Amino acid sequence: MSSGSYVSTKPRVDRRFFLAFMWGGAAISSLFVFARLAIRLKAFRRLYSDDGLVVLAWISSLGACVLWQMVVDDLYNQYKLSTGQLALTPDVIKGEKNLLRGTLAYLIFFHTCIYSIKGSFLLFFRRLDSKAQGFRKRWWWFVAIITLAGYLSSCGTIQWKCLLSSLDYIFTQCSKEAAIKYEHSTFSYQCAIDVITDTLIISIPIIMLWNVKVALRKKVALIALFSLTVIVIGISITRVSVVPTMSAQADVSWLYFWHNLEVPVSKCLVMTNSNLAAAMVLAKTHVALIVSSLASFR
């Protein structure tokens, strides 16, 4: 993310609320993950590879929370800088560097968490349909390859230069219109590939269940359960909508609030298939963990 002039000189998300929402979401999603693992151990006396990916997603989400706790003061100092309430002292400059490096690490944690959850769904569905041949097998591999490509490309399109370069470069180059347009485009791309891969993953159980000889009512119920991921898709789209225009940057506190919402919900959903708006980036990760956990109960 570039470091130029922001849409607002006042954060839309209060610092205390930002932290409380982040850690509250982490706590709730952690309960879902622990419940998932406990149910697996009680029912099967073992854990599976998809559980390992959920644990990786959980660790990534906790790492993201720790990072924000470390740089949250630097994040909110940016608003004071923009209004002249804070002078650009050596300590503030150091804080800016910490914030930029922390943002880069956070984005890597974020994508790792989200795509680990996607991978856990893929492995879970693969185990359920282990005897699949022909189209169903080829379709699973197609979705798996697209998902892996989505993870690599999402990490690859992060604005590395505007997060790792010198502050002189960042302040002079990353606030230009071209850099802001690139930032907006990457947000849109990452959202698109996120939604596409989620949709493709949902298609796997639908195809699988379509040929199962069970009552239609039960088929619909199971498909609805596996389709809880649409909640995460909605958060992904909302997360991008907070970036107002192609020529202006989003309010940072608002943007990453929505990032934080997606993870916990996804974690909970993973739980059901296999055994709620700045807060939605952190929220996305928390939501994703919740969703992934909910999905495993049945």
Side-chain angles (χ1 to χ4, degrees):
M1 161 173 181
S2 54
S3 208
S5 58
Y6 297 102
V7 172
S8 173
T9 57
K10 183 178 180 180
R12 298 180 67 177
V13 182
D14 178 76
R15 178 186 180 280
R16 286 182 295 180
F17 180 76
F18 184 92
L19 290 175
F21 182 88
M22 177 183 71
W23 285 111
I28 294 171
S29 60
S30 294
L31 289 176
F32 276 88
V33 172
F34 294 154
R36 170 199 175 106
L37 299 178
I39 290 171
R40 283 292 177 85
L41 290 172
K42 183 175 181 179
F44 304 108
R45 306 295 185 208
R46 59 168 296 184
L47 298 177
Y48 294 92
S49 54
D50 53 309
D51 297 310
L53 285 180
V54 169
V55 171
L56 174 60
W58 175 68
I59 293 172
S60 297
S61 70
L62 287 184
C65 290
V66 171
L67 275 171
W68 277 125
Q69 184 71 55
M70 294 170 62
V71 302
V72 68
D73 289 334
D74 301 316
L75 170 64
Y76 283 87
N77 278 342
Q78 289 203 335
Y79 297 97
K80 295 179 181 179
L81 277 171
S82 65
T83 58
Q85 295 176 280
L86 193 65
L88 198 60
T89 64
D91 285 343
V92 172
I93 292 175
K94 182 180 179 180
E96 282 287 303
K97 291 180 179 178
N98 289 337
L99 175 61
L100 292 168
R101 275 50 170 182
T103 300
L104 175 59
Y106 167 75
L107 290 173
I108 294 173
F109 274 134
F110 172 75
H111 291 303
T112 298
C113 179
I114 293 302
Y115 280 89
S116 292
I117 291 170
K118 294 177 192 286
S120 73
F121 275 113
L122 284 168
L123 292 178
F124 171 69
F125 294 141
R126 181 63 175 165
R127 192 172 69 254
L128 285 183
D129 203 22
S130 58
K131 296 182 180 180
Q133 297 295 326
F135 172 76
R136 291 214 308 267
K137 185 176 183 179
R138 292 193 298 271
W139 183 249
W140 185 92
W141 277 107
F142 170 76
V143 175
I145 291 170
I146 294 298
T147 302
L148 177 60
Y151 171 66
L152 296 175
S153 60
S154 292
C155 290
T157 52
I158 295 172
Q159 284 185 298
W160 295 81
K161 273 192 172 184
C162 289
L163 294 171
L164 292 178
S165 300
S166 67
L167 290 181
D168 287 341
Y169 177 89
I170 292 170
F171 289 146
T172 58
Q173 301 299 317
C174 297
S175 59
K176 290 183 176 180
E177 184 178 356
I180 297 175
K181 285 184 177 180
Y182 176 82
E183 179 183 58
H184 190 286
S185 298
T186 57
F187 284 154
S188 299
Y189 168 77
Q190 291 166 3
C191 173
I193 196 65
D194 193 1
V195 171
I196 289 170
T197 51
D198 278 344
T199 304
L200 289 173
I201 290 170
I202 292 173
S203 73
I204 294 175
I206 293 176
I207 294 171
M208 181 177 67
L209 287 168
W210 200 255
N211 297 315
V212 175
K213 294 181 180 180
V214 297
L216 178 61
R217 183 178 177 181
K218 185 172 287 189
K219 279 186 181 181
V220 172
L222 287 170
I223 289 173
L225 178 63
F226 290 131
S227 299
L228 287 173
T229 305
V230 297
I231 299 172
V232 183
I233 291 175
I235 295 174
S236 297
I237 295 172
T238 304
R239 174 164 54 92
V240 171
S241 71
V242 304
V243 181
T245 68
M246 290 288 283
S247 59
Q249 292 178 313
D251 182 299
V252 188
S253 65
W254 183 245
L255 176 64
Y256 287 108
F257 173 79
W258 282 91
H259 271 77
N260 292 331
L261 177 60
E262 189 172 353
V263 169
V265 172
S266 298
K267 283 196 274 193
C268 293
L269 284 184
V270 166
M271 210 164 120
T272 301
N273 279 343
S274 58
N275 249 344
L276 212 168
M280 291 184 82
V281 174
L282 284 177
K284 166 158 179 159
T285 53
H286 298 320
V287 170
L289 283 169
I290 291 170
V291 168
S292 68
S293 298
L294 288 174
S296 60
F297 284 145
R298 176 65 180 173

